[in-house]
Amino acid sequence: MRFESKHGLFKRVARNVHNTKNVLMSLATKHQQLMAYHLDGQSVFKSDLYIDKVRAVQALLLRVVVSDDEARRVHLSQVPESVDALIDVLKEKLQLQGDFTLQFEDPDFANALCTLSNISELPHARAVLHIKWKIASQPDNSDSQSLGSISSLDTASLNSPVHTSTNPSPTTSGNLRSTSVWPSPFTIPPLSHDVELKLRKANEAYEKTKTGIDVTRDIKTDILDKITQVTFDITAYPRPHEVESIAVALISKYPCLKENDGNGYEGWLTSIRNRFSNFRAKLRVAGCSEVSINSKSKGDGDMTYTLKRAKRGEINHCPNHPNEHDDASLEEQRMLLVEESKKARVDDSLIRVKMDLTFSLRRREVVEEQPMVMVIQNRWPALFFKEQIGEEFFRITNKNLLGTFRAAVEKYTPKLLRLYRSRKASFGKDLEHILMKLDDETSNIIRHRQDAALRGLPIFLCEEPGQLFKQCLETDPDDVAVKGVAVGVLYVLEDCAVETSSPKVQNISLIVEESVVLQDIADTPTAVAYLFGLLYALNISYPKHLKYTFDTLQSVFMEMGPKCTKRVRSLKNKLAL
């Protein structure tokens, strides 16, 4: 090939793409696409290249007005196909709950609000959206049958790639938290009217004289009480840096409360910390489930004390019962739920509502009594339905299980595979075998890439992948496949395909405590997501031999929890590059 001819090709491409950013990348990409087109042709001679349709994928920058005092910035890589798809994306990105419609500021009418009925009505590139919440009617609790009313937990099929939106039922939303992240910065709640007046005047005096106010007992009590109540609506056990953010926000809003020594809030930090301890003690006496399970009272026998507070980003770890319900009434609802679960054609809406209603009873059993999985299967069979695994995870964490996990897998798969290929010599034959198998695939490449990224994760974290991913034949006895497996994903293979390089997978199942709890799963990402959700639903600790793998799924993929191990943090930093 004459080099001048190849130079001419690159010159034409550079002129035609009209792109001055990273020109070398653009030229290399266009050249690879052209070579792939020629190599894929039927003839050895060069053929003409025809382009049928060209459609530009445009990004969309949104300013979403959630309420009168809150507006959020959202960047979308492409415009959704419909208004419903846009609403699902906003619910996922902004963690919104409930039903709403969208209005946009129409530039053709001096930015007047218009209801968004078609996605084509959105302004080009940038738009301002206003959320209009729908007012839901409250259910009538006078009739026991009304407890089976339709819940707003209407979730799409979990095998669908569309992100599902999960919302709490109005019958149980009063006893569940809805905030999943700590506010930054922390907002100091309004104080009593007389205290606000005193602090306002003290702030004015502080600007002139730099002299703080003499904090009386009633002022300090009012401040601490209001802060404690607002904080408990977020979490019962705030972490040290979260408590410190409260003290910083307090002296920022009221400079007159700043102390003369040290950083200016050390005394307030101690007072807030002590008030939280006293407040939890009062709640424990009052019978609050979330704190009463952590009491250190001694029982009969040699029962050891185990801390049962939320440690993995749970928002509703062990909530109280809904209003007008106790253990006896919820036990009746549980029995109705079991009967419905045994039917050949179950009523999904009824299952959803009953699972919402009995959530507090179920969590108390799982967290406090810590029963075996087989016992939970007998008492709560609906908990092992595919739809309910995702919804139970949402009740606990306020996060969409499948939607968040699939988005993370799609995001990190290319980066993980690059890391695997650059370090494969350091991890032996297991990682090299996974990459070689991926290179041999010729169809459904995206699925195989995601499968390789997840199956190589334990190897990259210096753990044993065989402890998480198991294989067996169709004809193997069940007890052989699950024996000794604490948690794992089981691939059932064809008998005749064992010796081939790419055996056909007949079924994907989940194993928990040597029992198959879920079958007929579509792919590896879905199986790993369900397994991760079950660990939360059953309150099972991560296996020691896979703790870094599940810590990565929690901290990196799902972005949950207060902290992660050093090994996982190192991987997280590599993926951020």
Side-chain angles (χ1 to χ4, degrees):
M1 176 183 291
R2 293 183 298 108
F3 291 105
E4 293 83 357
S5 177
K6 182 64 72 172
H7 292 167
L9 168 66
F10 286 123
K11 290 178 181 178
R12 290 196 305 273
V13 173
R15 287 194 301 268
N16 294 333
V17 297
H18 301 292
N19 181 21
T20 58
K21 291 184 178 180
N22 201 350
V23 179
L24 297 180
M25 180 65 180
S26 300
L27 295 178
T29 302
K30 296 295 182 181
H31 181 260
Q32 288 295 97
Q33 292 174 349
L34 182 61
M35 291 298 101
Y37 171 75
H38 291 319
L39 293 175
D40 190 54
Q42 299 291 334
S43 174
V44 296
F45 299 102
K46 182 177 178 180
S47 58
D48 295 330
L49 177 63
Y50 295 96
I51 299 178
D52 185 14
K53 293 182 180 180
V54 177
R55 182 172 64 92
V57 179
Q58 298 178 347
L60 182 62
L61 181 62
L62 300 175
R63 181 177 183 268
V64 183
V65 180
V66 181
S67 61
D68 294 338
D69 55 352
E70 182 180 4
R72 305 283 294 277
R73 180 187 177 100
V74 177
H75 182 269
L76 302 180
S77 58
Q78 62 182 12
V79 180
E81 297 180 354
S82 64
V83 177
D84 292 336
L86 176 59
I87 291 177
D88 289 339
V89 172
L90 293 179
K91 285 184 177 181
E92 174 66 26
K93 287 184 174 293
L94 303 181
Q95 295 294 317
L96 301 178
Q97 304 172 14
D99 296 329
F100 58 84
T101 58
L102 294 176
Q103 293 183 345
F104 69 99
E105 295 184 1
D106 195 336
D108 296 335
F109 297 96
N111 291 333
L113 293 180
C114 297
T115 300
L116 182 63
S117 57
N118 194 303
I119 199 68
S120 61
E121 298 173 351
L122 271 180
H124 177 70
R126 297 187 179 186
V128 179
L129 297 179
H130 293 255
I131 290 180
K132 299 300 178 183
W133 296 96
K134 294 181 180 179
I135 302 177
S137 58
Q138 296 296 328
D140 183 11
N141 293 330
S142 59
D143 187 359
S144 61
Q145 295 298 328
S146 66
L147 297 173
S149 60
I150 301 300
S151 167
S152 60
L153 265 167
D154 192 9
T155 308
S157 173
L158 295 180
N159 290 327
S160 171
V162 181
H163 297 308
T164 59
S165 58
T166 312
N167 303 315
S169 170
T171 59
T172 60
S173 59
N175 67 318
L176 301 182
R177 295 189 178 94
S178 59
T179 304
S180 58
V181 294
W182 183 264
S184 180
F186 185 85
T187 302
I188 302 298
L191 307 177
S192 301
H193 186 62
D194 58 329
V195 175
E196 287 281 4
L197 290 177
K198 293 177 182 178
L199 294 179
R200 189 183 306 168
K201 292 181 179 179
N203 280 342
E204 296 174 356
Y206 182 82
E207 293 180 359
K208 299 176 182 178
T209 63
K210 300 299 179 182
T211 302
I213 187 177
D214 183 15
V215 181
T216 60
R217 183 173 182 177
D218 59 335
I219 294 178
K220 188 171 186 178
T221 300
D222 186 67
I223 293 174
L224 296 177
D225 286 345
K226 294 294 193 301
I227 288 176
T228 303
Q229 293 171 5
V230 170
T231 304
F232 188 80
D233 291 339
I234 304 174
T235 176
Y237 295 93
R239 299 187 289 273
H241 73 275
E242 295 172 344
V243 178
E244 186 173 1
S245 69
I246 299 175
V248 172
L250 181 62
I251 65 172
S252 298
K253 184 175 182 180
Y254 303 109
C256 61
L257 298 177
K258 189 173 183 180
E259 300 166 352
N260 297 326
D261 300 334
N263 51 24
Y265 57 82
E266 192 64 35
W268 282 106
L269 190 61
T270 304
S271 298
I272 294 171
R273 195 180 294 120
N274 293 337
R275 182 53 62 95
F276 282 146
S277 299
N278 295 335
F279 185 67
R280 285 193 293 266
K282 294 180 180 178
L283 292 176
R284 190 174 293 114
V285 174
C288 179
S289 301
E290 190 169 6
V291 295
S292 61
I293 60 176
N294 291 316
S295 59
K296 295 185 179 182
S297 58
K298 295 181 180 179
D300 297 334
D302 297 331
M303 184 178 62
T304 58
Y305 169 71
T306 303
L307 189 64
K308 299 184 178 69
R309 72 176 62 171
K311 302 177 184 179
R312 303 185 299 197
E314 298 95 332
I315 304 302
N316 297 302
H317 185 53
C318 189
N320 293 323
H321 291 332
N323 296 334
E324 302 181 1
H325 284 280
D326 54 12
D327 290 348
S329 62
L330 293 179
E331 180 64 20
E332 294 178 0
Q333 297 296 324
R334 186 196 67 80
M335 295 176 65
L336 295 176
L337 179 61
V338 172
E339 292 298 325
E340 181 65 28
S341 303
K342 295 179 180 179
K343 295 180 180 179
R345 298 184 62 180
V346 299
D347 186 344
D348 292 334
S349 299
L350 181 60
I351 291 288
R352 194 177 300 123
V353 172
K354 298 298 184 184
M355 289 291 287
D356 282 346
L357 184 61
T358 57
F359 174 65
S360 57
L361 178 65
R362 184 167 57 256
R363 287 302 294 176
R364 182 177 296 182
E365 291 182 11
V366 170
V367 175
E368 190 169 0
E369 300 177 10
Q370 299 180 350
M372 299 294 290
V373 172
M374 295 184 63
V375 177
I376 301 177
Q377 281 184 300
N378 292 330
R379 286 185 56 81
W380 304 97
L383 183 59
F384 297 87
F385 293 174
K386 293 180 180 179
E387 295 81 2
Q388 286 305 316
I389 294 175
E391 295 190 6
E392 186 79 355
F393 186 82
F394 184 86
R395 297 182 191 106
I396 299 171
T397 65
N398 275 6
K399 272 187 174 290
N400 185 306
L401 176 61
L402 287 183
T404 305
F405 191 82
R406 284 171 176 166
V409 170
E410 183 179 349
K411 174 182 177 182
Y412 291 120
T413 291
K415 299 181 180 181
L416 285 172
L417 292 179
R418 283 198 294 268
L419 283 176
Y420 297 166
R421 294 187 187 279
S422 64
R423 300 282 305 279
K424 64 180 180 180
S426 304
F427 293 97
K429 296 182 179 180
D430 290 338
L431 189 58
E432 186 176 355
H433 175 72
I434 292 177
L435 295 176
M436 290 179 60
K437 183 179 177 182
L438 174 62
D439 293 337
D440 293 338
E441 299 294 345
T442 58
S443 62
N444 206 352
I445 301 300
I446 295 179
R447 174 174 177 175
H448 290 300
R449 283 169 59 87
Q450 293 178 352
D451 184 277
L454 290 175
R455 300 191 70 162
L457 190 59
I459 304 174
F460 194 82
L461 294 170
C462 301
E463 294 181 326
E464 180 56 48
Q467 298 290 338
L468 178 59
F469 299 104
K470 301 286 185 177
Q471 293 184 356
C472 73
L473 304 179
E474 293 177 290
T475 55
D476 287 345
D478 294 339
D479 56 346
V480 174
V482 302
K483 185 176 181 180
V485 181
V487 295
V489 179
L490 178 63
Y491 297 90
V492 181
L493 309 178
E494 277 186 327
D495 285 356
C496 59
V498 177
E499 302 298 333
T500 63
S501 58
S502 181
K504 185 177 180 181
V505 178
Q506 292 293 96
N507 189 12
I508 302 179
S509 306
L510 295 186
I511 305 173
V512 179
E513 293 183 0
E514 299 186 353
S515 298
V516 176
V517 297
L518 195 64
Q519 302 184 54
D520 301 324
I521 305 176
D523 49 37
T524 299
T526 305
V528 175
Y530 280 146
L531 181 61
F532 184 77
L534 278 174
L535 294 184
Y536 273 74
L538 305 176
N539 197 40
I540 296 177
S541 301
Y542 299 151
K544 292 183 179 180
H545 51 271
L546 292 171
K547 65 176 182 179
Y548 295 113
T549 300
F550 283 105
D551 192 14
T552 301
L553 299 180
Q554 173 191 321
S555 303
V556 180
F557 283 67
M558 301 299 295
E559 298 181 352
M560 293 168 49
K563 58 183 180 180
C564 57
T565 58
K566 293 182 180 180
R567 191 179 303 183
V568 175
R569 189 182 303 115
S570 175
L571 174 60
K572 189 175 183 179
N573 294 335
K574 289 182 175 69
L575 294 176
L577 297 178

